[in-house]
Amino acid sequence: MAFEGLSERLQGSMKKIKGKGKVSEQDVKDMMREVRLALLEADVNFKVVKKFVNDVKERAVGQEVMDSLTPGQQVIKVVNEELTSLLGGEQSKLAVSSKSPTVVMMVGLQGSGKTTTTGKLALHLRKNHNRKPLMAAADVYRPAAIKQLETLGKQLDMPVFSMGDKVSPVEIATKAVEQAKEDHQDYVLIDTAGRLHVDENLMDELDHIKTAVKPDEVLLVVDSMTGQDAVNVAENFHERLGITGIVMTKLDGDTRGGAAISVKSVTGMPIKFAGMGEKSDALEPFHPERMASRILG
Ligand code: GDP
């Protein structure tokens, strides 16, 4: 499971302090040294680790903690609150446009899980929010992507808009939005093309689609197994394109978790959903507080 190593180490480092009736500054320092190492080992961005450790220390050696009846517990509470804040604080929901349809552009590198997530999100919107999504196949470069989305559409009994791979993605996206308006679909999820690496042509193309359809949401799909790279990718996409939210995929795998923990602080953009498996129902709204509690046990 994701975060397993990190979780174990963090819990281990907090064990000593947990039951303490008195906590000294040295106790907090010792604990935070271990916490720091655990986070670095889990591939959390070093700047993020530094700030986290300082923030916790500052609060944990304060009066409010030291003078409390259960200082050990209070220190742990501070760690939990700071981790929640690092993961994004309040849960961040998917945009809803006041004017139907809400347009969502799905972007990300090839293999990150973009097409799968498009299907998952469509199902989520229908099942949990009673919405009618249209999926649009605008990935004209990966040979199997259009077919993959059409197959997903059949499986989920969800409409898919496609014009083959000889038409420009901008045109596909624009027409898809028109079609959704005509058919009274209230979401359009545009599956765009990825590349193996961030590349100028791709960014230009995504930028053109964005200008054409003015999406309410640009969701970056990020593979959480790719560690620090995932954070760099997110930074690049955000700088170049302006994303509005992130979906971390493959959190069901044995990722060390660093990307999920750093990505909000580094980009300022919230994680909105977590991919928890290959199946279409394996998508969960991301709850920073629950995730922090899960990690800290
Ligand atoms: P795309 O190139 O970004 O469109 O990527 P795909 O949607 O084709 O996904 C690439 C691979 O990742 C596929 O084998 C998916 O089944 C798998 N995948 C996507 N999301 C998840 C997830 O949350 N968990 C797991 N375990 N696999 C996933």
Side-chain angles (χ1 to χ4, degrees):
M1 255 336 239
F3 303 114
E4 205 166 315
L6 175 66
S7 196
E8 210 167 280
R9 289 202 52 178
L10 287 181
Q11 287 173 33
S13 57
M14 292 187 303
K15 221 184 214 149
K16 268 179 252 153
I17 224 166
K18 206 169 192 171
K20 283 206 169 191
K22 237 181 164 164
V23 172
S24 68
E25 204 168 320
Q26 193 57 44
D27 291 334
V28 174
K29 267 194 185 150
D30 290 345
M31 179 191 81
M32 288 317 286
R33 191 179 313 119
E34 288 177 34
V35 167
R36 181 175 162 274
L37 283 174
L39 290 170
L40 287 173
E41 224 162 76
D43 221 6
V44 179
N45 178 286
F46 76 96
K47 283 188 200 149
V48 173
V49 174
K50 198 169 168 197
K51 182 166 184 313
F52 177 79
V53 168
N54 285 339
D55 288 352
V56 172
K57 264 194 202 155
E58 202 166 284
R59 284 186 60 199
V61 295
Q63 292 291 313
E64 152 209 2
V65 167
M66 300 301 211
D67 295 346
S68 70
L69 287 172
T70 55
Q73 304 279 2
Q74 290 297 322
V75 172
I76 310 247
K77 189 162 163 259
V78 169
V79 174
N80 193 318
E81 283 170 7
E82 290 294 330
L83 186 59
T84 300
S85 143
L86 196 59
L87 289 163
E90 291 276 298
Q91 189 209 350
S92 183
K93 296 197 171 140
L94 193 70
V96 187
S97 169
S98 53
K99 233 175 44 219
S100 232
T102 302
V103 178
V104 182
M105 234 176 113
M106 310 292 294
V107 303
L109 293 185
Q110 209 175 93
S112 61
K114 215 171 343 84
T115 306
T116 311
T117 305
T118 305
K120 286 177 175 177
L121 189 57
L123 182 64
H124 169 82
L125 285 166
R126 185 177 70 191
K127 214 165 95 182
N128 301 316
H129 299 278
N130 210 13
R131 299 281 179 178
K132 290 198 308 177
L134 173 68
M135 300 193 281
D139 181 353
V140 297
Y141 300 113
R142 185 161 65 89
I146 297 178
K147 192 108 201 73
Q148 190 183 337
L149 200 65
E150 284 171 341
T151 306
L152 268 173
K154 280 207 189 87
Q155 278 168 8
L156 302 173
D157 192 21
M158 199 79 75
V160 173
F161 183 89
S162 71
M163 298 174 79
D165 60 2
K166 304 284 183 285
V167 181
S168 85
V170 174
E171 191 175 340
I172 298 173
T174 313
K175 291 262 165 66
V177 176
E178 283 169 15
Q179 185 75 48
K181 266 186 205 152
E182 242 171 65
D183 297 346
H184 304 287
Q185 305 284 137
D186 41 29
Y187 269 86
V188 186
L189 311 180
I190 305 169
D191 184 27
T192 65
R195 298 277 199 282
L196 291 175
H197 305 282
V198 172
D199 123 342
E200 257 323 288
N201 290 335
L202 169 67
M203 291 300 167
D204 275 346
E205 180 183 296
L206 293 175
D207 208 14
H208 289 147
I209 300 177
K210 192 180 171 198
T211 309
V213 300
K214 300 188 185 56
D216 302 284
E217 188 91 73
V218 181
L219 278 188
L220 175 68
V221 179
V222 175
D223 180 345
S224 59
M225 304 289 284
T226 55
Q228 295 276 331
D229 261 356
V231 177
N232 295 336
V233 166
E235 248 186 322
N236 273 318
F237 267 84
H238 189 46
E239 259 172 41
R240 186 64 179 75
L241 200 64
I243 60 171
T244 58
I246 294 166
V247 181
M248 292 300 307
T249 60
K250 310 184 196 181
L251 271 178
D252 53 306
D254 58 356
T255 164
R256 285 183 285 168
I261 295 175
S262 335
V263 79
K264 166 69 169 64
S265 324
V266 175
T267 64
M269 288 299 120
I271 301 176
K272 298 204 171 187
F273 292 95
M276 303 298 293
E278 294 191 82
K279 297 221 175 85
S280 289
D281 60 358
L283 184 76
E284 294 175 5
F286 188 78
H287 294 280
E289 203 182 327
R290 280 186 219 164
M291 189 54 86
S293 299
R294 200 180 118 194
I295 295 170
L296 297 176

